[in-house]
């Protein structure tokens, strides 16, 4: 019999819900205490406006009661965060380090946010953090997401985006495809929700972060979690990613600077003025400092895997969780 020494809290990513963990849950022992809440604006989560000037704290604060209850019942919790959920997990670590036994970051947003920064220290490309935030998303995708489109005719349809970017190219979601698409389509598209507002900018590409909604929560204007390196209590961190991740990458196809470099967004001012964000490099640099200042971390890289290792390699992911929980 498997016996876990710690409960597990699973935090899903952007444009998904707790249902996105289903492929992993089938491979976890039945006696584990696993809790997977829906973030606000996704799945069955509450539809509450998101104050992006707090970074991801609105999301994290919503989950604190769950974390606290698990902690009071069973002791420190293994917190697992996917993509945006990785940022929420890091925020929980910053705010409640004593309640976290270990942190598992799966394809996490960089500790310096998403878009608009140029180096391993998270230096912005422009003073107003242009190139990040709610105005940086493809409006066709937003429109089709709001319409709950399940087709494939439009290039930016949610199904096509999931097939192209949520996993490595050519990955077959099989019988899980409709379920996982359902999680995408559960996203609340509305003012103050997804994607969020933007502001006009004199700097390329002409849009900077707003103050409301999902994508602004991870804009570097409001989001910087590199302070985890200064925590007096540093639980171990496991960083899991795929080597073919097209979303969180040093050459992300969701980074406007990278798209400009590829000629897909006009007017790109060049590498010196607006280089693509080194997302993986930034995460590694912060975790190395975390280790140098008394913590530990391990990087697990799966070859041929994209943005969702727990979907693409669920048995391997479950094995890592078994090691972390001590079961």
């Amino acid at each position: 019999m498997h016996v876990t020494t710690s409960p597990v809290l699973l935090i899903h990513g952007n444009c998904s819900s707790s249902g996105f963990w289903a492929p992993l849950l089938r491979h976890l022992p039945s006696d584990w205490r696993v809790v997977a809440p829906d973030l606000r604006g996704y799945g069955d989560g509450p539809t509450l406006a998101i104050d992006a000037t707090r970074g991801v704290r609105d999301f994290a604060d919503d989950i604190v009661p769950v974390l606290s209850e698990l902690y009071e019942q069973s002791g420190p919790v293994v917190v697992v965060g996917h993509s945006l959920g990785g940022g929420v997990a890091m925020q929980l670590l910053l705010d409640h380090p004593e309640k976290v036994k270990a942190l598992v970051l799966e394809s996490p947003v960089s500790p310096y946010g998403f878009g608009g920064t140029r180096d391993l220290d998270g230096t912005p490309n422009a003073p107003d953090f242009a190139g990040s935030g709610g105005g940086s998303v493809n409006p066709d995708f937003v429109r089709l997401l709001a319409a709950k489109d399940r087709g494939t005719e439009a290039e930016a349809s949610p199904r096509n985006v999931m097939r192209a970017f949520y996993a490595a190219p050519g990955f077959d979601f099989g019988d899980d495809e409709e379920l996982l698409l359902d999680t995408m389509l559960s996203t609340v598209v509305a003012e103050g929700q997804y994607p969020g507002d933007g502001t006009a900018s004199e700097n390329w590409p002409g849009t900077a972060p707003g103050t409301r909604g999902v994508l602004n929560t991870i804009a570097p204007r409001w989001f910087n979690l590199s302070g985890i390196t200064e925590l007096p209590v540093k639980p171990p961190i496991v960083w899991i990613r795929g080597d073919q991740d097209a979303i969180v990458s040093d050459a992300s196809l969701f980074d406007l600077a990278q798209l400009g470099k590829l000629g897909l967004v006009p007017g790109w001012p060049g590498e010196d003025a607006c280089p693509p964000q080194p997302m993986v490099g930034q995460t590694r640099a912060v975790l190395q400092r975390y280790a140098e200042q008394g913590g530990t971390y391990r990087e697990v890289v799966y070859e041929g895997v994209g943005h969702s290792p727990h979907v693409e390699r669920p048995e391997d992911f479950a094995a890592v969780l078994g090691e972390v929980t001590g079961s």
Side-chain angles (χ1 to χ4, degrees):
M1 175 180 293
H2 294 274
V3 178
T4 180
T5 58
S6 301
V8 177
L9 175 61
L10 302 175
I11 307 172
H12 67 82
N14 187 22
C15 291
S16 65
S17 72
S18 59
F20 206 76
W21 294 109
L24 171 66
L25 293 175
R26 300 187 195 109
H27 296 274
L28 299 183
S30 60
D31 62 330
W32 281 25
R33 179 80 186 279
V34 179
V35 178
D38 286 320
L39 298 176
R40 62 170 68 183
Y42 301 96
D44 293 326
T47 302
L48 299 171
I50 299 166
D51 179 0
T53 66
R54 304 184 72 236
V56 293
R57 288 183 181 88
D58 278 358
F59 293 129
D61 287 352
D62 289 345
I63 293 177
V64 167
V66 179
L67 175 69
S68 297
E69 180 178 354
L70 290 172
Y71 175 75
E72 291 167 4
Q73 292 176 351
S74 307
V77 179
V78 173
V79 179
V80 184
H82 178 219
S83 196
L84 165 69
V88 178
M90 284 186 272
Q91 186 68 61
L92 288 173
L93 176 62
L94 270 174
D95 296 341
H96 304 278
E98 75 286 351
K99 296 179 181 177
V100 178
K101 175 178 179 178
L103 203 64
V104 178
L105 301 176
E106 179 191 9
S107 310
V109 60
S110 161
Y112 296 110
F114 198 97
T117 61
R118 62 186 301 114
D119 57 25
L120 299 186
D121 295 321
T123 304
N125 287 328
D128 61 356
F129 300 92
S132 65
S136 65
V137 66
N138 182 337
D140 288 337
F141 172 71
V142 176
R143 174 178 58 83
L144 293 163
L145 186 67
K148 300 190 182 303
D149 184 277
R150 304 186 74 92
T152 58
E153 292 184 7
E155 182 179 1
S157 74
R159 188 185 300 273
N160 285 340
V161 168
M162 186 177 76
R163 287 176 174 177
F165 300 111
Y166 276 38
F171 178 76
D172 183 3
F173 290 97
D175 293 339
D176 286 325
E177 180 161 309
E178 299 307 317
L179 166 64
L180 299 181
L181 181 61
D182 285 343
T183 75
M184 290 186 73
L185 298 180
S186 78
T187 303
V188 175
V189 179
E191 184 177 353
Q193 302 284 321
Y194 182 86
D197 59 334
T199 59
S201 173
E202 296 180 354
N203 302 297
W204 187 89
T207 182
T211 60
R212 296 171 296 166
V214 176
L215 295 186
N216 292 309
T217 69
I218 53 174
R221 179 182 180 186
W222 313 118
F223 180 101
N224 183 338
L225 300 181
S226 62
I228 61 173
T229 61
E230 305 298 325
L231 288 171
V233 177
K234 291 187 173 71
I237 295 177
V238 179
W239 172 26
I240 303 176
R241 64 183 184 88
D243 68 349
Q244 295 189 29
D245 191 341
I247 297 178
V248 176
S249 164
D250 289 347
S252 169
L253 295 178
F254 286 66
D255 179 3
L256 292 181
Q258 175 65 17
L259 295 178
K261 182 177 180 178
L262 294 174
L264 300 175
V265 177
W268 182 59
E271 194 87 31
D272 290 340
C274 194
Q277 179 185 1
M279 301 180 187
V280 172
Q282 288 175 347
T283 297
R284 186 176 294 114
V286 168
L287 293 182
Q288 286 176 345
R289 290 204 303 274
Y290 185 85
E292 290 166 0
Q293 297 184 42
T296 62
Y297 88 95
R298 175 163 63 110
E299 181 178 355
V300 179
V301 183
Y302 295 130
E303 294 184 3
V305 169
H307 188 60
S308 305
H310 79 271
V311 174
E312 300 167 78
R313 297 273 290 273
E315 292 185 30
D316 293 332
F317 198 100
V320 173
L321 279 188
E323 296 171 8
V324 174
T325 60
S327 66

